[in-house]
Amino acid sequence: MKRILREYSPLVALLGLYFFGISKLMHKKSYDPLGVYKFPLFLGIIASVLTIALIVQACRHRKEKPEESVNWSTFFRMLGVVALSAAYLLLLRQIGYVLLTPIYIAGMLLVLGKRDWKRILLLSVIATIVLYVPFRYLFKVLFPKGVLTFLG
Amino acid sequence: MLEMLKYLGEGFLNCLDLQTILVILAGVAWGILGGAIPGISPSIAIVLALPFTYHMDTVPAVAMLVAVYTGACYGSSIPAILIGVPGAPASAATIADGYELGKKGKGLEALGISLTSGVIGGLIGTLLLCVLAIPLGKVALSFGAPEYFAICILGLSIVAAVGNGSITKALISIVIGLAVAGIGLDSFSGAPRFTFGLSMLNDGVNDVSAMIGVFAVGEIFYSIYKDLQTKKIKMSIRIRIPWDKIKKLLPFTVRGGIIGTIVGVLPGAGSSLAGFVAYADAKNASKHPEEFGKGSFEGVAAPESANNGCVGGSMVPVLALGVPGSSGAAMIMAAFIMHGVVPGPTLFEQHPDIVYTIFAGLFMAQLLLFAVGYLCMKPFLKIIDTNITTLNVIIMILVLTGSFSLSNRLLEPAIVLIFGLLGFWMKLYGYSPSAMVLGLVLGGMLEDELRRSLIMSRGSFSIFFTRPLCLIILILSVASVAYGYIKSNKAAKKAAAQRSASDSDRN
């Protein structure tokens, strides 16, 4: 039962969010016969029917599939990577690409179990330069400068 | 026909000029590099090459841009096969099998097949462009909203082939993709949909960011969760083109090339759809459909051939009608206009020399693609000759940087991250990221053409059954679903029978 809850609760949550979005569209007017919300509503109904079918199938065959235990240590490591990436995006504007990227790379390597400091330092700096130079000067990407306002 | 051959011969002679050869070579090399960098789509690679053509004559200028387009279509398959990141939407269908082959240490062979199939597909596309440009252009012009809607349905009907495993989960994946495609301003009323008050979502979710997230970042999260980091891919670094395999794959490559050209002719359909349709066709035609999604060479050859065939196809509406069918083709059309040549029905009468020299340049670009692509394989292979943890971190920062470069906004890397989590969940529980991407690519066009059709018929759905072309495409869609379903059922039964036979042998 835990497996069924784990597997389908994100889907049900997504559906709930989707129908909430549709409810916001109901009063919007459009000149075409189908209107703004009917196509999404149609998709929502199909998704609901398919989800119910999946849950019923899963309940029927639950004895056939053994419950897989969650590996919490790797799960938290993955969450660490997600949190670090989210923090990187949140701070990028304030701190700047050139300064924050090597910190992010070093942090990621540490979270993923690397401990060789010399290698971590070297990789963080080289990867940042290798990415920054072509994207900035060849593809003319305007990265956030952050605190290093003198950067071109 | 004789006149066409005469012009084509003259075109080849014009292309043998050193400047033209060099610019085509540079275009192909730049295209491969641009296509291989996530976030640099073929159209961006063309835009970046455009300033170099300002001072060139029309023929080398257009030939260079077409060469960039050709190179980028192949280049996007390199990261797809080696690291599971689609360099551009064109390679979305290649990931399913290409990356699996890469993980098995057969990445080099897959790259060889991708390159050779791409070149063959590109040659097919160019050949069809030479012979059928004007009639194909007229067919494309006869397509109205109902026909485009039917084409989208045909595209979605391949879901049984794209989703490996539960068909219900594949359908849910496709609905998720269609729903995501609905985010942003409604194209008819301008009302914001599913933006939840965030104006930055008004433009919708960028296909490329979502694809990078769901495939690449999802895979990284999955490999961390499943603790696959200590494994190192063992790969032979001896470069060789597997000719024996290529010979066996030739029927799939030729079919892919033809499919790619036809889909490329239709404005708006795009190379990602061509890749998916060719993939589904190959799976249906294969004697081993059960190997698809687990590392099938047929699953690489067909979509790659279609991607490059699409380049020739997308030039049909540009040259014959003056209507660009894709963003890449629009850039090439801009180059034509910049050099004082207006593409359209009169182009073949007024400037046949230019048209056929460009055709010859396209042929030459394909041949040079083979040479440059072959030389590029080893340096690219070095990328994955590293520890998976380090590779994961490098891919992560590369995709975040590449997605930022799409629009210089932090929204794109944020989308990559969110879709990475979605991709992780899909991979963990057997949903189909490929089917989701198919829904995402077709979603906008499907809804728009449906609504446009209903405006034409004043709300009556009968419009889809009273137009012969539309009806034929819809019947083909139903046949495709039925055929795919029957074939996958047969394959499942065969696999079950083999399993039970081996079990009884063991007992």
Side-chain angles (χ1 to χ4, degrees):
Chain A
M1 201 59 198
K2 269 185 195 169
R3 187 182 64 81
I4 294 168
L5 274 176
R6 262 205 318 267
E7 195 168 339
Y8 301 112
S9 54
L11 190 60
V12 176
L14 269 180
L15 263 175
L17 192 70
Y18 188 66
F19 276 108
F20 174 70
I22 293 172
S23 69
K24 296 264 172 197
L25 295 173
M26 296 287 200
H27 64 278
K28 299 263 193 309
K29 291 271 181 285
S30 180
Y31 61 88
D32 67 305
L34 210 58
V36 182
Y37 76 94
K38 279 187 191 146
F39 185 77
L41 184 67
F42 175 67
L43 288 181
I45 292 166
I46 293 179
S48 308
V49 171
L50 289 170
T51 306
I52 292 166
L54 264 186
I55 294 171
V56 170
Q57 276 173 16
C59 289
R60 270 191 192 165
H61 301 291
R62 74 166 180 246
K63 277 178 189 163
E64 287 172 25
K65 280 188 185 172
E67 297 240 330
E68 220 178 285
S69 61
V70 178
N71 185 345
W72 290 108
S73 74
T74 56
F75 181 71
F76 283 122
R77 185 177 288 175
M78 191 207 87
L79 276 189
V81 168
V82 176
L84 204 63
S85 305
Y88 171 71
L89 296 181
L90 286 172
L91 295 172
L92 198 60
R93 190 84 51 208
Q94 286 80 31
I95 297 177
Y97 183 87
V98 174
L99 218 55
L100 194 60
T101 303
I103 299 170
Y104 169 70
I105 296 173
M108 285 278 278
L109 287 166
L110 281 171
V111 169
L112 294 176
K114 293 274 172 193
R115 292 292 178 266
D116 182 349
W117 276 101
K118 222 164 118 183
R119 212 181 142 86
I120 290 173
L121 205 71
L122 210 68
L123 191 74
S124 321
V125 175
I126 292 174
T128 306
I129 295 169
V130 167
L131 284 173
Y132 181 77
V133 173
F135 273 101
R136 176 68 193 94
Y137 297 106
L138 199 62
F139 307 136
K140 312 283 179 207
V141 176
L142 297 170
F143 287 114
K145 291 177 196 167
V147 288
L148 304 176
T149 46
F150 57 85
L151 282 172
Chain B
M1 187 71 180
L2 274 176
E3 202 180 11
M4 187 196 90
L5 286 174
K6 189 193 111 191
Y7 280 126
L8 200 58
E10 282 173 11
F12 272 109
L13 285 177
N14 292 342
C15 273
L16 288 176
D17 166 52
L18 185 67
Q19 189 208 1
T20 312
I21 293 175
L22 285 177
V23 294
I24 293 175
L25 194 68
V28 166
W30 169 244
I32 293 177
L33 185 69
I37 298 172
I40 307 295
S41 63
S43 48
I44 294 176
I46 295 172
V47 167
L48 292 169
L50 204 58
F52 295 102
T53 66
Y54 288 162
H55 304 291
M56 290 181 192
D57 290 335
T58 312
V59 168
V62 176
M64 183 184 184
L65 298 180
V66 171
V68 174
Y69 198 5
T70 307
C73 280
Y74 163 68
S76 66
S77 72
I78 296 172
I81 290 169
L82 295 180
I83 53 177
V85 180
S91 59
T94 311
I95 287 188
D97 284 282
Y99 187 49
E100 287 303 317
L101 286 166
K103 283 198 283 191
K104 288 176 183 168
K106 294 178 183 172
L108 199 61
E109 266 184 285
L111 276 184
I113 282 165
S114 153
L115 175 64
T116 323
S117 308
V119 169
I120 296 172
L123 288 173
I124 291 170
T126 313
L127 194 69
L128 291 176
L129 172 69
C130 288
V131 182
L132 299 170
I134 296 172
L136 277 179
K138 281 180 184 160
V139 171
L141 206 62
S142 68
F143 269 53
E147 284 76 22
Y148 275 109
F149 172 74
I151 284 283
C152 291
I153 295 291
L154 182 66
L156 293 179
S157 72
I158 65 174
V159 63
V162 171
N164 293 295
S166 160
I167 188 83
T168 320
K169 284 185 176 175
L171 285 170
I172 288 188
S173 308
I174 227 167
V175 172
I176 292 174
L178 290 170
V180 172
I183 296 173
L185 290 183
D186 175 39
S187 51
F188 284 76
S189 64
R193 298 199 303 182
F194 303 106
T195 58
F196 300 100
L198 300 167
S199 58
M200 59 184 163
L201 281 176
N202 282 352
D203 291 338
V205 171
N206 188 307
D207 290 3
V208 180
S209 302
M211 273 182 216
I212 291 174
V214 84
F215 284 123
V217 179
E219 180 70 33
I220 291 172
F221 291 163
Y222 186 78
S223 81
I224 295 169
Y225 178 69
K226 288 283 177 185
D227 210 12
L228 305 173
Q229 312 231 25
T230 45
K231 287 184 186 169
K232 193 168 188 277
I233 301 164
K234 282 195 172 64
M235 196 176 288
S236 152
I237 54 160
R238 212 188 76 191
I239 292 184
R240 68 178 193 95
I241 301 286
W243 293 112
D244 49 334
K245 280 204 178 79
I246 286 162
K247 218 169 143 186
K248 278 185 200 160
L249 295 170
L250 201 61
F252 297 96
T253 309
V254 172
R255 287 166 75 124
I258 295 170
I259 289 171
T261 312
I262 294 169
V263 176
V265 170
L266 304 171
S271 51
S272 46
L273 177 62
F276 277 118
V277 175
Y279 182 85
D281 172 72
K283 190 174 179 183
N284 283 341
S286 172
K287 284 178 186 160
H288 305 286
E290 72 283 356
E291 285 175 12
F292 277 69
K294 293 168 191 150
S296 163
F297 284 108
E298 292 159 3
V300 173
E304 279 308 305
S305 174
N307 287 346
N308 283 46
C310 207
V311 175
S314 68
M315 293 301 290
V316 170
V318 172
L319 295 172
L321 307 169
V323 178
S326 64
S327 50
M331 301 300 160
I332 292 169
M333 191 168 145
F336 266 112
I337 295 166
M338 204 170 72
H339 285 88
V341 180
V342 180
T346 55
L347 185 66
F348 282 81
E349 288 160 23
Q350 289 173 352
H351 301 286
D353 50 331
I354 291 178
V355 173
Y356 285 96
T357 308
I358 287 162
F359 289 169
L362 250 173
F363 275 116
M364 203 170 270
Q366 300 299 338
L367 300 178
L368 288 174
L369 170 67
F370 187 78
V372 180
Y374 183 77
L375 291 174
C376 283
M377 272 191 214
K378 203 166 179 176
F380 276 114
L381 202 67
K382 293 261 183 210
I383 297 169
I384 59 158
D385 190 24
T386 181
N387 175 285
I388 290 196
T389 303
T390 314
L391 190 64
N392 275 347
V393 174
I394 292 171
I395 295 172
M396 196 73 192
I397 189 65
L398 173 68
V399 297
L400 291 179
T401 307
S403 57
F404 179 82
S405 74
L406 286 170
S407 62
N408 282 342
R409 289 187 307 170
L410 284 169
L411 173 72
E412 304 303 342
I415 287 173
V416 166
L417 206 58
I418 292 164
F419 277 82
L421 285 170
L422 181 67
F424 165 71
W425 170 74
M426 291 180 104
K427 201 165 163 57
L428 194 62
Y429 292 117
Y431 292 85
S432 168
S434 299
M436 196 219 95
V437 167
L438 185 67
L440 179 65
V441 168
L442 290 177
M445 189 170 155
L446 178 84
E447 188 185 358
D448 285 355
E449 300 303 346
L450 171 67
R451 289 169 74 177
R452 217 163 274 147
S453 305
L454 291 178
I455 290 173
M456 282 164 70
S457 67
R458 296 181 186 191
S460 166
F461 281 87
S462 65
I463 190 167
F464 299 111
F465 308 104
T466 49
R467 293 168 69 112
L469 197 55
C470 177
L471 188 62
I472 290 169
I473 301 168
L474 286 175
I475 290 170
L476 276 176
S477 312
V478 175
S480 162
V481 171
Y483 185 70
Y485 186 74
I486 291 166
K487 190 132 190 187
S488 63
N489 250 10
K490 264 188 189 170
K493 273 181 191 164
K494 202 174 147 189
Q498 275 172 351
R499 259 201 312 274
S500 66
S502 65
D503 284 350
S504 60
D505 281 353
R506 242 178 273 147
N507 295 332

